[in-house]
Structure formats: C-alpha cells, structure tokens
Amino acid sequence: MSGTRGKVSILLVIIVALASLTASCAGAPTMPMTLYENTEHGFSIEYPEGWAENVMRPVPFFYIEFSDPEGRLSAGVSLEYKTEELTLADAVSEAKTYIEAMPQFELISEGNVTISKGIPGYEIVGEGDLGTGKVERFRSIMGVREKQALSVIVRAEPADFDQQKQLIDTIVDSFKLLPTYTFVPPTPGAAGTYTSAEYGFSINHPAGWIKFPLSRPGEVVSLGSAEGFPGVMVSAEVVGEGTTLADFGAQFSQGLGEHWSDCELFSQGEIALDDGTPAYEIVFSGTTEGYTLKCKYVIVIQGSQAFFLMGYSMPDRFEQDEAAMDEVVCSFHLE
C-alpha cells in the first residue's frame, strides 16, 4: 500500500511540475518588438527591440533591412516600382528566376499565402547564398499592389533559422500593408545632361532614364532605366595629392572582395573618355545587398578628387546593356 502511495505521490509531483511549466511558458513575456511604419511606401513591420535598421537601396528598388546585434538573423522588406501594373504570377516568375540562380540554391517549400487585408501572396522557403558568401535558409513572401512589387524575407544560417522559427514567424506575420502610399516613381524623360556645379562635372543620360534618390556616402548622382537596370552611379572621394591613376585603380580592384562577395574580375586597365580624359576601367561581377550584378567601374582623378562611375546591370543582360552604360560613362566631362 505504501508503495502505491509513493507512486501516486511521484505522479502528482510530475503533474504539478508540468502544469507549472505550462503555465510559466504560456505566461512568459514575448520579446519586445519595435514597429517600423513607412507611409511613403505604404507598409509596416515589427522587429525585435535592439536590432539595427538600415535602408540599403534607393528606388525603383527600396530595400530596408533589420538585423540582430550579432548579425545571425535579419529581416528585410523590398519594393520595386514597375512602369505598368503587374500580376502576382509575373512577380513570382521574375523573383524565382533570380532566386533559383543564386549559388547552392535548394527549394524547401513554396505555395500561395495571404498577406494582410486579404491580398494574395506567394511564399518560398529555401536555402542558398544570398550574397553573404555563406549558405542561409530564408523565408520569403511576395505580393503585388498596382505597380508595386513587394516582398518580405527573413534569413539566417540553417541552424539559427530553425532555432528562431517562432521569432521569424512573428516578424513575417507582422508585415502589414497600409491603406495608401504616397511615393510616386520618377517619370522617365527625354535625353539630357546632369551637371554638378559643386563637383565640377557633367554627364549625359539617354531618353527613358530617371534620376534616383541618393543613398550612399559620397554618392553625387544616380541615373538609370525606370526598371532599375542598367544604371550609372557617380561618387566622389578625396585622395592624396600625387595619387596616380594606374596605382589607385589597381589597388581599388584588389579591394573589391571586401564589399562584394563571389567577386570575379574580368578586366582592368587604363582607357580614355570621349573627351580624352584619362580613366581606369574595372569590369567585374559580384553580390552586394542581396543583388548579384555585373559592373563596370571607371575611375577619374583630378588633383585630390577621385570620381567613381559605376555602370551596372544583371549578369545575364550586361552585354546588351553595355553600350548604353558606356555611352553615359564615357560622356563624363570635367568642367
């Protein structure tokens, strides 16, 4: 009899302990979240307090990323503005073409979902190198609203991703579309010339190109097709007096890998612009900010001022866009 009572007592202790644990878990406070609301582009999302916030890219590709202090988990929202209204099927097809081309890509799952306010969306869960030089697992949800193609993506190394699944779901599920947005994409115009009195240069652009808002330190002007590719960005930087073009260009090319993952150098050497100005050209491909691009850097030095003209496009269309980029870059003229 005493043995039976002992077993019952032990059982009761286990039941009470489990009940206490369950109550404790149910009542445990969740991680404090910060609300990010963007009325210009019409969305909101929540991310954990203490995470860093960084706007990565201007229109027509607006991209903002939130990351934890240790850099193990990050969440991003991207918006792309098209010249015409598009369907979800078109947006998904375009996104899958890019995603499936990433190094070491592996599809885990995909299917239709619903974004806030009943807007249809499409979810892709997979693994691959998203431009960090390492394989990460990601969950991405895409949707469209008028001419706006939008997506939410949360990524981490596979072990961290599985460990943080509940937090990842919380972040993704917090994404909401606001009733309206105020941003109006620039309208492509006629061919023209951009002149900077402050930096003392001019550069031509073809019809159909637009001027993008600035987003990086040292950036002076960013021009490109309304669809985002191709484009040409001009930046300026102070260099030491007596810096030679050849030495600076070679040194610059050697440091590309610090900012671009999977960097592949195709060619480099001295060239001349249309007006005879000496320049140094570097052609390479690499991945940065989640985009894999093929680029042509052209460097011009005048006194202690270095100008960087970067023509860029997607790798699979670089050759067809190269002539347009060259026309813009080579028109660069020091006033």
Side-chain angles (χ1 to χ4, degrees):
M1 188 73 172
S2 60
T4 302
R5 282 199 300 269
K7 291 179 180 177
V8 171
S9 298
I10 293 172
L11 182 59
L12 285 173
V13 169
I14 294 173
I15 292 173
V16 171
L18 287 173
S20 176
L21 178 61
T22 302
S24 174
C25 290
T30 57
M31 181 177 293
M33 304 291 281
T34 297
L35 174 66
Y36 173 86
E37 190 171 77
N38 189 311
T39 55
E40 183 181 21
H41 296 285
F43 74 90
S44 67
I45 190 170
E46 295 180 13
Y47 63 92
E49 287 186 6
W51 279 28
E53 176 185 312
N54 186 24
V55 176
M56 305 286 284
R57 198 174 173 87
V59 294
F61 300 100
F62 173 84
Y63 182 73
I64 185 167
E65 185 173 88
F66 313 97
S67 57
D68 72 4
E70 298 176 358
R72 291 170 33 182
L73 182 66
S74 65
V77 178
S78 67
L79 293 99
E80 179 179 353
Y81 292 88
K82 301 292 188 178
T83 54
E84 299 179 358
E85 291 195 14
L86 71 163
T87 66
L88 178 60
D90 291 335
V92 171
S93 176
E94 184 177 314
K96 288 181 71 174
T97 298
Y98 178 80
I99 290 174
E100 291 170 357
M102 72 174 58
Q104 304 180 66
F105 171 73
E106 179 184 346
L107 177 66
I108 295 174
S109 66
E110 63 178 323
N112 296 312
V113 295
T114 300
I115 306 177
S116 68
K117 304 185 185 301
I119 293 179
Y122 197 84
E123 178 184 88
I124 294 179
V125 179
E127 287 185 7
D129 181 355
L130 292 123
T132 60
K134 59 185 177 183
V135 173
E136 294 180 294
R137 187 166 296 172
F138 63 89
R139 180 185 175 197
S140 175
I141 292 180
M142 294 162 277
V144 298
R145 177 170 57 174
E146 299 170 345
K147 299 178 182 180
Q148 202 182 50
L150 51 97
S151 69
V152 183
I153 183 169
V154 183
R155 58 188 175 85
E157 292 190 46
D160 291 326
F161 187 95
D162 293 339
Q163 198 173 46
Q164 300 284 348
K165 185 180 184 305
Q166 185 175 355
L167 176 57
I168 290 170
D169 291 344
T170 299
I171 296 171
V172 173
D173 293 343
S174 75
F175 179 77
K176 301 289 188 297
L177 292 177
L178 304 181
T180 60
Y181 59 94
T182 59
F183 178 75
V184 179
T187 302
T193 300
Y194 171 85
T195 301
S196 172
E198 179 181 359
Y199 288 93
F201 74 85
S202 64
I203 189 169
N204 300 333
H205 60 82
W209 280 36
I210 59 178
K211 179 183 172 184
F212 300 140
L214 305 181
S215 66
R216 297 170 177 83
E219 188 175 341
V220 180
V221 66
S222 183
L223 305 164
S225 162
E227 293 296 332
F229 299 106
V232 173
M233 181 176 67
V234 181
S235 301
E237 177 183 314
V238 176
V239 296
E241 287 285 354
T243 300
T244 66
L245 191 60
D247 290 343
F248 186 83
Q251 183 179 1
F252 184 82
S253 68
Q254 291 174 3
L256 288 172
E258 297 177 11
H259 307 284
W260 297 77
S261 63
D262 300 320
C263 186
E264 182 179 357
L265 181 65
F266 296 105
S267 64
Q268 62 178 320
E270 295 186 53
I271 63 168
L273 303 183
D274 287 346
D275 64 358
T277 299
Y280 194 94
E281 180 187 270
I282 305 166
V283 180
F284 69 99
S285 67
T287 303
T288 183
E289 301 176 5
Y291 289 92
T292 300
L293 304 172
K294 188 170 182 180
C295 306
K296 178 177 289 190
Y297 258 120
V298 173
I299 303 169
V300 175
I301 296 179
Q302 183 182 52
S304 61
Q305 188 77 65
F307 295 96
F308 303 87
L309 294 80
M310 187 181 81
Y312 58 88
S313 187
M314 302 293 284
D316 60 352
R317 54 176 289 175
F318 181 85
E319 289 186 5
Q320 72 183 62
D321 290 338
E322 189 172 14
M325 288 186 289
D326 285 348
E327 183 179 349
V328 176
V329 169
C330 290
S331 73
F332 181 85
H333 175 72
L334 294 168
E335 301 295 334

